[in-house]
Amino acid sequence: MTTIGPLAFLEPWILAALALLPVIWWLLRATPPAPKRQGFPAIRLLLGLKAQEETPERTPWWLLLLRLFIAALIIVALARPILDPREELPGSGPLLVVIDDGWAAAAGWDDHKSSLDQYLAEAERKGESLRLLLTAPNADDSPPTVSEVMTATQARARVQGLEPKAWPVDRAAAREALAALDPGEDWRVLWMADGVEDTEGSDAADFGAALAALGPVMRLVEPTGAKLLRPPENASDGVVVTVERAEERGEDLGIVVALRDDGREVARLPVTFADGETAASGSLELPIELANAIGRLVLEGKPTAGGVYLLDENSRRRPVGLLSSGAEDEQPLFSELYYVERALAPFAEIQRGPLEQLMAQPLAVLVLPDESVLSAEERDRITAFLEEGGLVLRFAGPKLAANPDELLPVQLRGGGRTMGGIMTWDQPAPIAPFTPPSPYAGLLIPQDVVVNQQVLAEPSLDLADKTWAKLVDGTPLVTAERRGDGLLVLFHTTANDAWSNLAFSGLFVEMLVRTVEAARGVAGLGEGEALPPQQMLDGFGRLVEPTPTVLSLNAETLESGAVGPTHPPGYYGSDSGRRAFNLESAVETLSPLPQVTGVADRGYARAAEVELKAPLLAGALVLALCDLLLSLFLRGLIPTRRAARGAAGALLVAVVLTQPWGSAEAQDARDSFALLATLETRLAYVETGDDEVDEISRAGLNGLTLALTRRTSVEPAEPLGVNLASDEIVFFPLLYWPITAAQPSLDQATRDKVNRFLATGGSILFDLRDPAMTGFSDASVDLQRLTEGLDVPPLEPVPPEHVLTKAFYLLQDFPGRYAGGELWVDAAGSTANDGVASIIIGSNDWGAAWAIGSNGMPLYAVVPEGERQREMSYRFGINLVMYVLTGNYKADQVHVPFILERLGQ
């Protein structure tokens, strides 16, 4: 392929035929004179003769140039010119296409596939064969492998069906797969990269170097915007959410949406990335009831499996019961529960009361202070709570030391260890550093925290395994033991200042929080129990049914966080008790791909190539027809009048062909637009000039079109955007017009066009997209400016019996992304178009509520009622379209009983 500026030739050798143009000129310059009919009377023989010769011997110069131009067009067309060609892959060897199809690729998947399709189309034109390598492990858990040799056509068909996977790529295994290639070949490599390195030692640099060793490599990579949600943390001021990104440069904004299990929105949280930062955090300040109702966190925007974090009982604030007799309320500062309650209140749902009252409510943790004296019946109830998966937290003191029972993780020695007692130490004992596998590992121990007295445990072989914390002399401070599915934890000192100052420190708060987090939640799952797959996340972060290759989740996999084909992210277990398994456990880090020597980075290809062969041949054919007419005229074979008509036609063709490309393209565009708008019913939106708003309108009408197709007999085609100044709008029954401040005012010609549209039966839905706009009386200055000069009839709020409320669904209000805004229509008696309002004005941002992405998922959350509100928004859209298309049909139905009564039926 030879490239000259924005033009490329696939068969450049054919251009050598241009050198034959002089020969063609020499062959075409002579035209035989046309035969001339001449009378031959004998007497006037000499009078009819003329001295000079008037029949030309050569072709006129302008006709000769026309023929040379036709020949040049044919030669250039056969050379297969292409406008705006893609950058050609270097080298001439076999082609290897490498595709990153892990979770991070989902953020730019549409651009990813579109760009790849263009390069494969180029290979298809050349008749090339190639091999594919997908870097993510396969769904059957087999490692990446290089495909067999396939044609570019077969590769395009396979790529069209590809979707990103919900787990990371494995470039180390992909590098090993390259061993199947013949190292003696000079390969050409096209690497469609996802732009991120998501695990430590993922070998992106080594993989790139291995590709470069095969031959020249072109890596198509752009910042895809893939972001990752890290586990939320319960804090005193709410739920802290952290989002990570790969790129450090530039400011960015992310919106985290908290959703219930049924998809209803709980809250929205904007998080802002500062320039140079890869992480951003924010706090959802919610009551405990709402915080515990969150089923998943979703990062709004480009959907990926990493942008969804699933929550289960282990992620929620635990309901903690404090066993209380009520007597401690008289002197709260001396009570153990006072310090425990203040430590856990910001992180858990605290309940106080007697055992019978606490057991009647769902609990995850039960706290027993030393002052609690348990009866045999109470001990049995607590044992049952333990075995069902609860956590019992006990504190030692004088009463427990004197009267130990069976609800202890270890056997206690009689008596206690005190300063100055029989079992003494010279000075208060500090706490020893916490080491794994203790849940307290990593906590910092203040130097001033000491223990004066403790209850000692009897030595045993398993004492060390049961010890979570100990003093510097090795004696246990906190011990724990599994009982059934539950956990029994004992602090060997008091929870107040009687035996230690631990209760006054921040360490006490952190230790209690870690202890509560060790609880399995209200609906705990058995130890070692295999959890069957319930719902999985796909690469776009959608919850889908598990495939047959997904295996049950065991404790080892859950602990290691080994997300992969057999254990993709999702929910495992059953409705009565499920565990969330999230992608973030497998993503250790998130960073951009490194530069690799021998790998040339390029951006995604967006503009499509334009092959000019067909237009050039068509132009040559038209000019050849003109040449034929002119030749016949010059030879006298066409009568004068017919010749005049032919010359006029040829002149018209010449004028058309000599017009600037833009005018011809504009006419073609108008014709194409008219055909698209008339051959099928379509919804349309007004282009505002704001790319973001226009994209919302397009996606919104796409969503409404899909809803109409699924639920009604109306099956509209893909919606169109219209430019009021240049496009004809009379083809559409309804225009959706979002109002923005940047839209220019309408000129007089555009006003006349819109007024004709309204007068001939068209309807316009003006959307102010602002929940603060509660009525037409509060309409913005922008709406008044844009509607100036339009024939706007008197308006009124939609009456309760208006056809819009019953055209398809029975509705009482008309929510969009927002709710509460009033909807205004033509006042009664002012509509002349079969009772259909020409002007409809509201402010609920219906376009965003209807909007769906390429994966069919909603793009924007709706408030305040979530998915229920989105459903009502779709119903309003369907009612609106049916109202516009059927007129007063439903209004007439209201009168059917009266008509039948008057007819006597």
Side-chain angles (χ1 to χ4, degrees), residues 339-376:
Y339 299 97
V340 174
E341 183 173 7
R342 288 178 64 86
L344 291 178
F347 309 99
E349 182 181 356
I350 304 296
Q351 303 172 30
R352 294 182 61 166
L355 185 63
E356 183 177 357
Q357 176 183 336
L358 295 178
M359 290 289 101
Q361 306 175 43
L363 285 182
V365 179
L366 178 63
V367 179
L368 306 179
D370 177 62
E371 57 201 21
S372 301
V373 178
L374 303 174
S375 65

mmCIF file of all heavy atoms in Angstrom, residues 339-376:
data_model
loop_
_atom_site.group_PDB
_atom_site.id
_atom_site.type_symbol
_atom_site.label_atom_id
_atom_site.label_comp_id
_atom_site.label_asym_id
_atom_site.label_seq_id
_atom_site.Cartn_x
_atom_site.Cartn_y
_atom_site.Cartn_z
ATOM 1 N N TYR A 339 -17.961 1.371 78.440
ATOM 2 C CA TYR A 339 -16.812 1.520 77.553
ATOM 3 C C TYR A 339 -16.995 0.711 76.262
ATOM 4 O O TYR A 339 -16.599 1.147 75.179
ATOM 5 C CB TYR A 339 -15.537 1.103 78.288
ATOM 6 C CG TYR A 339 -15.268 1.940 79.503
ATOM 7 C CD1 TYR A 339 -15.647 1.501 80.771
ATOM 8 C CD2 TYR A 339 -14.649 3.184 79.383
ATOM 9 C CE1 TYR A 339 -15.416 2.281 81.889
ATOM 10 C CE2 TYR A 339 -14.414 3.967 80.503
ATOM 11 C CZ TYR A 339 -14.805 3.512 81.752
ATOM 12 O OH TYR A 339 -14.578 4.299 82.862
ATOM 13 N N VAL A 340 -17.598 -0.455 76.384
ATOM 14 C CA VAL A 340 -17.834 -1.277 75.191
ATOM 15 C C VAL A 340 -18.813 -0.574 74.250
ATOM 16 O O VAL A 340 -18.607 -0.536 73.030
ATOM 17 C CB VAL A 340 -18.367 -2.663 75.602
ATOM 18 C CG1 VAL A 340 -18.762 -3.466 74.361
ATOM 19 C CG2 VAL A 340 -17.342 -3.410 76.415
ATOM 20 N N GLU A 341 -19.873 -0.016 74.819
ATOM 21 C CA GLU A 341 -20.879 0.651 73.990
ATOM 22 C C GLU A 341 -20.291 1.866 73.292
ATOM 23 O O GLU A 341 -20.533 2.087 72.101
ATOM 24 C CB GLU A 341 -22.068 1.057 74.840
ATOM 25 C CG GLU A 341 -23.210 1.696 74.030
ATOM 26 C CD GLU A 341 -24.438 1.947 74.861
ATOM 27 O OE1 GLU A 341 -24.389 1.753 76.094
ATOM 28 O OE2 GLU A 341 -25.468 2.354 74.277
ATOM 29 N N ARG A 342 -19.518 2.679 74.000
ATOM 30 C CA ARG A 342 -18.922 3.859 73.380
ATOM 31 C C ARG A 342 -17.912 3.473 72.306
ATOM 32 O O ARG A 342 -17.732 4.194 71.323
ATOM 33 C CB ARG A 342 -18.252 4.732 74.451
ATOM 34 C CG ARG A 342 -19.241 5.452 75.341
ATOM 35 C CD ARG A 342 -18.522 6.259 76.406
ATOM 36 N NE ARG A 342 -17.728 7.315 75.817
ATOM 37 C CZ ARG A 342 -18.190 8.536 75.502
ATOM 38 N NH1 ARG A 342 -19.467 8.824 75.702
ATOM 39 N NH2 ARG A 342 -17.394 9.444 74.995
ATOM 40 N N ALA A 343 -17.241 2.336 72.480
ATOM 41 C CA ALA A 343 -16.247 1.901 71.489
ATOM 42 C C ALA A 343 -16.919 1.398 70.211
ATOM 43 O O ALA A 343 -16.429 1.653 69.096
ATOM 44 C CB ALA A 343 -15.368 0.815 72.084
ATOM 45 N N LEU A 344 -18.049 0.692 70.349
ATOM 46 C CA LEU A 344 -18.673 0.053 69.180
ATOM 47 C C LEU A 344 -19.793 0.860 68.550
ATOM 48 O O LEU A 344 -20.205 0.568 67.425
ATOM 49 C CB LEU A 344 -19.218 -1.326 69.581
ATOM 50 C CG LEU A 344 -18.192 -2.399 69.911
ATOM 51 C CD1 LEU A 344 -18.890 -3.682 70.331
ATOM 52 C CD2 LEU A 344 -17.284 -2.661 68.717
ATOM 53 N N ALA A 345 -20.314 1.860 69.231
ATOM 54 C CA ALA A 345 -21.483 2.599 68.720
ATOM 55 C C ALA A 345 -21.276 3.170 67.315
ATOM 56 O O ALA A 345 -22.192 3.120 66.489
ATOM 57 C CB ALA A 345 -21.858 3.706 69.702
ATOM 58 N N PRO A 346 -20.081 3.709 66.977
ATOM 59 C CA PRO A 346 -19.940 4.245 65.611
ATOM 60 C C PRO A 346 -19.856 3.172 64.531
ATOM 61 O O PRO A 346 -19.997 3.481 63.352
ATOM 62 C CB PRO A 346 -18.624 5.043 65.682
ATOM 63 C CG PRO A 346 -18.352 5.234 67.129
ATOM 64 C CD PRO A 346 -18.914 4.028 67.799
ATOM 65 N N PHE A 347 -19.628 1.905 64.922
ATOM 66 C CA PHE A 347 -19.346 0.874 63.937
ATOM 67 C C PHE A 347 -20.371 -0.255 63.922
ATOM 68 O O PHE A 347 -20.289 -1.145 63.082
ATOM 69 C CB PHE A 347 -17.960 0.259 64.201
ATOM 70 C CG PHE A 347 -16.869 1.280 64.357
ATOM 71 C CD1 PHE A 347 -16.436 1.672 65.602
ATOM 72 C CD2 PHE A 347 -16.311 1.863 63.229
ATOM 73 C CE1 PHE A 347 -15.436 2.624 65.744
ATOM 74 C CE2 PHE A 347 -15.309 2.804 63.362
ATOM 75 C CZ PHE A 347 -14.864 3.198 64.621
ATOM 76 N N ALA A 348 -21.305 -0.265 64.836
ATOM 77 C CA ALA A 348 -22.258 -1.364 64.922
ATOM 78 C C ALA A 348 -23.598 -0.835 65.400
ATOM 79 O O ALA A 348 -23.721 0.291 65.884
ATOM 80 C CB ALA A 348 -21.737 -2.449 65.878
ATOM 81 N N GLU A 349 -24.592 -1.678 65.262
ATOM 82 C CA GLU A 349 -25.933 -1.360 65.738
ATOM 83 C C GLU A 349 -26.071 -1.952 67.140
ATOM 84 O O GLU A 349 -26.139 -3.170 67.314
ATOM 85 C CB GLU A 349 -26.972 -1.962 64.792
ATOM 86 C CG GLU A 349 -28.400 -1.647 65.161
ATOM 87 C CD GLU A 349 -29.381 -2.276 64.201
ATOM 88 O OE1 GLU A 349 -28.929 -2.892 63.213
ATOM 89 O OE2 GLU A 349 -30.594 -2.180 64.450
ATOM 90 N N ILE A 350 -26.076 -1.077 68.138
ATOM 91 C CA ILE A 350 -26.027 -1.512 69.529
ATOM 92 C C ILE A 350 -27.435 -1.684 70.089
ATOM 93 O O ILE A 350 -28.296 -0.828 69.899
ATOM 94 C CB ILE A 350 -25.237 -0.516 70.393
ATOM 95 C CG1 ILE A 350 -23.825 -0.320 69.814
ATOM 96 C CG2 ILE A 350 -25.178 -0.978 71.834
ATOM 97 C CD1 ILE A 350 -22.985 -1.556 69.825
ATOM 98 N N GLN A 351 -27.642 -2.817 70.794
ATOM 99 C CA GLN A 351 -28.888 -3.076 71.513
ATOM 100 C C GLN A 351 -28.533 -3.539 72.915
ATOM 101 O O GLN A 351 -27.628 -4.349 73.106
ATOM 102 C CB GLN A 351 -29.714 -4.145 70.797
ATOM 103 C CG GLN A 351 -30.046 -3.800 69.347
ATOM 104 C CD GLN A 351 -30.697 -4.949 68.614
ATOM 105 O OE1 GLN A 351 -31.381 -5.766 69.205
ATOM 106 N NE2 GLN A 351 -30.474 -5.017 67.311
ATOM 107 N N ARG A 352 -29.258 -3.024 73.912
ATOM 108 C CA ARG A 352 -29.011 -3.384 75.313
ATOM 109 C C ARG A 352 -30.275 -3.960 75.912
ATOM 110 O O ARG A 352 -31.392 -3.549 75.582
ATOM 111 C CB ARG A 352 -28.559 -2.171 76.114
ATOM 112 C CG ARG A 352 -27.225 -1.625 75.691
ATOM 113 C CD ARG A 352 -26.806 -0.459 76.554
ATOM 114 N NE ARG A 352 -26.660 -0.825 77.961
ATOM 115 C CZ ARG A 352 -26.049 -0.061 78.868
ATOM 116 N NH1 ARG A 352 -25.540 1.107 78.509
ATOM 117 N NH2 ARG A 352 -25.954 -0.447 80.126
ATOM 118 N N GLY A 353 -30.090 -4.923 76.814
ATOM 119 C CA GLY A 353 -31.251 -5.478 77.481
ATOM 120 C C GLY A 353 -30.975 -6.856 78.017
ATOM 121 O O GLY A 353 -29.867 -7.408 77.884
ATOM 122 N N PRO A 354 -31.976 -7.460 78.639
ATOM 123 C CA PRO A 354 -31.820 -8.831 79.138
ATOM 124 C C PRO A 354 -31.734 -9.823 77.987
ATOM 125 O O PRO A 354 -32.062 -9.506 76.845
ATOM 126 C CB PRO A 354 -33.092 -9.037 79.973
ATOM 127 C CG PRO A 354 -34.077 -8.064 79.413
ATOM 128 C CD PRO A 354 -33.271 -6.873 78.967
ATOM 129 N N LEU A 355 -31.304 -11.024 78.295
ATOM 130 C CA LEU A 355 -31.044 -12.022 77.258
ATOM 131 C C LEU A 355 -32.297 -12.343 76.450
ATOM 132 O O LEU A 355 -32.230 -12.480 75.222
ATOM 133 C CB LEU A 355 -30.475 -13.295 77.893
ATOM 134 C CG LEU A 355 -30.040 -14.380 76.911
ATOM 135 C CD1 LEU A 355 -28.895 -13.879 76.037
ATOM 136 C CD2 LEU A 355 -29.617 -15.647 77.646
ATOM 137 N N GLU A 356 -33.432 -12.474 77.108
ATOM 138 C CA GLU A 356 -34.655 -12.822 76.385
ATOM 139 C C GLU A 356 -35.003 -11.761 75.346
ATOM 140 O O GLU A 356 -35.395 -12.071 74.219
ATOM 141 C CB GLU A 356 -35.799 -12.983 77.382
ATOM 142 C CG GLU A 356 -37.105 -13.409 76.720
ATOM 143 C CD GLU A 356 -38.209 -13.633 77.743
ATOM 144 O OE1 GLU A 356 -37.940 -13.514 78.960
ATOM 145 O OE2 GLU A 356 -39.349 -13.916 77.326
ATOM 146 N N GLN A 357 -34.826 -10.498 75.695
ATOM 147 C CA GLN A 357 -35.112 -9.415 74.756
ATOM 148 C C GLN A 357 -34.110 -9.409 73.604
ATOM 149 O O GLN A 357 -34.486 -9.202 72.442
ATOM 150 C CB GLN A 357 -35.070 -8.076 75.491
ATOM 151 C CG GLN A 357 -35.264 -6.861 74.592
ATOM 152 C CD GLN A 357 -35.136 -5.558 75.366
ATOM 153 O OE1 GLN A 357 -35.342 -5.517 76.584
ATOM 154 N NE2 GLN A 357 -34.773 -4.497 74.670
ATOM 155 N N LEU A 358 -32.830 -9.656 73.888
ATOM 156 C CA LEU A 358 -31.814 -9.646 72.835
ATOM 157 C C LEU A 358 -31.995 -10.813 71.878
ATOM 158 O O LEU A 358 -31.845 -10.670 70.663
ATOM 159 C CB LEU A 358 -30.418 -9.696 73.465
ATOM 160 C CG LEU A 358 -29.999 -8.478 74.305
ATOM 161 C CD1 LEU A 358 -28.615 -8.710 74.900
ATOM 162 C CD2 LEU A 358 -30.021 -7.206 73.466
ATOM 163 N N MET A 359 -32.314 -12.001 72.417
ATOM 164 C CA MET A 359 -32.457 -13.178 71.568
ATOM 165 C C MET A 359 -33.683 -13.090 70.655
ATOM 166 O O MET A 359 -33.764 -13.824 69.665
ATOM 167 C CB MET A 359 -32.557 -14.437 72.431
ATOM 168 C CG MET A 359 -31.277 -14.826 73.136
ATOM 169 S SD MET A 359 -29.978 -15.459 72.031
ATOM 170 C CE MET A 359 -28.927 -14.028 71.857
ATOM 171 N N ALA A 360 -34.603 -12.217 70.967
ATOM 172 C CA ALA A 360 -35.794 -12.057 70.122
ATOM 173 C C ALA A 360 -35.497 -11.236 68.874
ATOM 174 O O ALA A 360 -36.355 -11.101 67.996
ATOM 175 C CB ALA A 360 -36.917 -11.414 70.925
ATOM 176 N N GLN A 361 -34.283 -10.672 68.776
ATOM 177 C CA GLN A 361 -33.905 -9.841 67.642
ATOM 178 C C GLN A 361 -32.717 -10.482 66.926
ATOM 179 O O GLN A 361 -31.963 -11.255 67.521
ATOM 180 C CB GLN A 361 -33.542 -8.432 68.125
ATOM 181 C CG GLN A 361 -34.620 -7.762 68.963
ATOM 182 C CD GLN A 361 -34.160 -6.436 69.509
ATOM 183 O OE1 GLN A 361 -33.541 -5.653 68.801
ATOM 184 N NE2 GLN A 361 -34.449 -6.175 70.778
ATOM 185 N N PRO A 362 -32.534 -10.150 65.630
ATOM 186 C CA PRO A 362 -31.363 -10.698 64.922
ATOM 187 C C PRO A 362 -30.080 -10.091 65.475
ATOM 188 O O PRO A 362 -29.939 -8.883 65.574
ATOM 189 C CB PRO A 362 -31.606 -10.275 63.463
ATOM 190 C CG PRO A 362 -32.535 -9.107 63.550
ATOM 191 C CD PRO A 362 -33.389 -9.328 64.751
ATOM 192 N N LEU A 363 -29.148 -10.956 65.847
ATOM 193 C CA LEU A 363 -27.884 -10.526 66.427
ATOM 194 C C LEU A 363 -26.733 -11.202 65.702
ATOM 195 O O LEU A 363 -26.850 -12.340 65.243
ATOM 196 C CB LEU A 363 -27.797 -10.885 67.917
ATOM 197 C CG LEU A 363 -28.599 -10.069 68.923
ATOM 198 C CD1 LEU A 363 -28.317 -10.580 70.316
ATOM 199 C CD2 LEU A 363 -28.279 -8.589 68.822
ATOM 200 N N ALA A 364 -25.614 -10.511 65.616
ATOM 201 C CA ALA A 364 -24.380 -11.104 65.122
ATOM 202 C C ALA A 364 -23.402 -11.332 66.254
ATOM 203 O O ALA A 364 -22.614 -12.276 66.228
ATOM 204 C CB ALA A 364 -23.745 -10.206 64.064
ATOM 205 N N VAL A 365 -23.438 -10.437 67.273
ATOM 206 C CA VAL A 365 -22.495 -10.505 68.386
ATOM 207 C C VAL A 365 -23.259 -10.322 69.693
ATOM 208 O O VAL A 365 -24.144 -9.456 69.791
ATOM 209 C CB VAL A 365 -21.407 -9.410 68.258
ATOM 210 C CG1 VAL A 365 -20.440 -9.474 69.452
ATOM 211 C CG2 VAL A 365 -20.638 -9.560 66.955
ATOM 212 N N LEU A 366 -22.926 -11.121 70.672
ATOM 213 C CA LEU A 366 -23.488 -10.989 72.012
ATOM 214 C C LEU A 366 -22.342 -10.739 72.980
ATOM 215 O O LEU A 366 -21.383 -11.519 73.050
ATOM 216 C CB LEU A 366 -24.249 -12.257 72.410
ATOM 217 C CG LEU A 366 -24.859 -12.278 73.812
ATOM 218 C CD1 LEU A 366 -25.923 -11.199 73.964
ATOM 219 C CD2 LEU A 366 -25.448 -13.652 74.129
ATOM 220 N N VAL A 367 -22.409 -9.638 73.737
ATOM 221 C CA VAL A 367 -21.356 -9.255 74.673
ATOM 222 C C VAL A 367 -21.823 -9.555 76.093
ATOM 223 O O VAL A 367 -22.898 -9.105 76.522
ATOM 224 C CB VAL A 367 -21.011 -7.757 74.526
ATOM 225 C CG1 VAL A 367 -19.926 -7.357 75.530
ATOM 226 C CG2 VAL A 367 -20.559 -7.456 73.105
ATOM 227 N N LEU A 368 -20.997 -10.318 76.824
ATOM 228 C CA LEU A 368 -21.307 -10.698 78.201
ATOM 229 C C LEU A 368 -20.273 -10.073 79.129
ATOM 230 O O LEU A 368 -19.097 -10.484 79.121
ATOM 231 C CB LEU A 368 -21.289 -12.222 78.362
ATOM 232 C CG LEU A 368 -22.162 -13.046 77.400
ATOM 233 C CD1 LEU A 368 -21.999 -14.529 77.684
ATOM 234 C CD2 LEU A 368 -23.614 -12.635 77.529
ATOM 235 N N PRO A 369 -20.635 -9.070 79.922
ATOM 236 C CA PRO A 369 -19.678 -8.524 80.892
ATOM 237 C C PRO A 369 -19.500 -9.487 82.075
ATOM 238 O O PRO A 369 -20.262 -10.440 82.255
ATOM 239 C CB PRO A 369 -20.348 -7.216 81.321
ATOM 240 C CG PRO A 369 -21.813 -7.462 81.129
ATOM 241 C CD PRO A 369 -21.931 -8.382 79.950
ATOM 242 N N ASP A 370 -18.494 -9.226 82.873
ATOM 243 C CA ASP A 370 -18.199 -10.106 84.002
ATOM 244 C C ASP A 370 -19.337 -10.114 85.019
ATOM 245 O O ASP A 370 -19.566 -11.117 85.700
ATOM 246 C CB ASP A 370 -16.896 -9.651 84.671
ATOM 247 C CG ASP A 370 -16.565 -10.481 85.912
ATOM 248 O OD1 ASP A 370 -16.363 -11.692 85.770
ATOM 249 O OD2 ASP A 370 -16.547 -9.897 87.019
ATOM 250 N N GLU A 371 -20.047 -9.025 85.119
ATOM 251 C CA GLU A 371 -21.100 -8.915 86.124
ATOM 252 C C GLU A 371 -22.331 -9.750 85.776
ATOM 253 O O GLU A 371 -23.253 -9.857 86.581
ATOM 254 C CB GLU A 371 -21.500 -7.450 86.293
ATOM 255 C CG GLU A 371 -21.939 -6.831 84.997
ATOM 256 C CD GLU A 371 -21.854 -5.314 85.024
ATOM 257 O OE1 GLU A 371 -21.114 -4.762 85.855
ATOM 258 O OE2 GLU A 371 -22.530 -4.690 84.199
ATOM 259 N N SER A 372 -22.384 -10.342 84.569
ATOM 260 C CA SER A 372 -23.533 -11.157 84.182
ATOM 261 C C SER A 372 -23.440 -12.530 84.860
ATOM 262 O O SER A 372 -22.415 -13.214 84.753
ATOM 263 C CB SER A 372 -23.581 -11.346 82.672
ATOM 264 O OG SER A 372 -23.656 -10.098 82.021
ATOM 265 N N VAL A 373 -24.502 -12.906 85.531
ATOM 266 C CA VAL A 373 -24.597 -14.234 86.139
ATOM 267 C C VAL A 373 -25.629 -15.018 85.329
ATOM 268 O O VAL A 373 -26.805 -14.635 85.258
ATOM 269 C CB VAL A 373 -25.013 -14.155 87.614
ATOM 270 C CG1 VAL A 373 -25.138 -15.560 88.200
ATOM 271 C CG2 VAL A 373 -24.002 -13.335 88.411
ATOM 272 N N LEU A 374 -25.193 -16.095 84.691
ATOM 273 C CA LEU A 374 -26.029 -16.830 83.746
ATOM 274 C C LEU A 374 -26.625 -18.060 84.408
ATOM 275 O O LEU A 374 -25.933 -18.818 85.107
ATOM 276 C CB LEU A 374 -25.213 -17.252 82.520
ATOM 277 C CG LEU A 374 -24.527 -16.141 81.738
ATOM 278 C CD1 LEU A 374 -23.650 -16.732 80.642
ATOM 279 C CD2 LEU A 374 -25.548 -15.193 81.156
ATOM 280 N N SER A 375 -27.912 -18.261 84.157
ATOM 281 C CA SER A 375 -28.562 -19.482 84.603
ATOM 282 C C SER A 375 -28.273 -20.584 83.591
ATOM 283 O O SER A 375 -27.762 -20.335 82.490
ATOM 284 C CB SER A 375 -30.069 -19.262 84.737
ATOM 285 O OG SER A 375 -30.636 -18.983 83.454
ATOM 286 N N ALA A 376 -28.621 -21.802 83.949
ATOM 287 C CA ALA A 376 -28.387 -22.934 83.042
ATOM 288 C C ALA A 376 -29.193 -22.764 81.756
ATOM 289 O O ALA A 376 -28.702 -23.070 80.656
ATOM 290 C CB ALA A 376 -28.765 -24.241 83.745
#
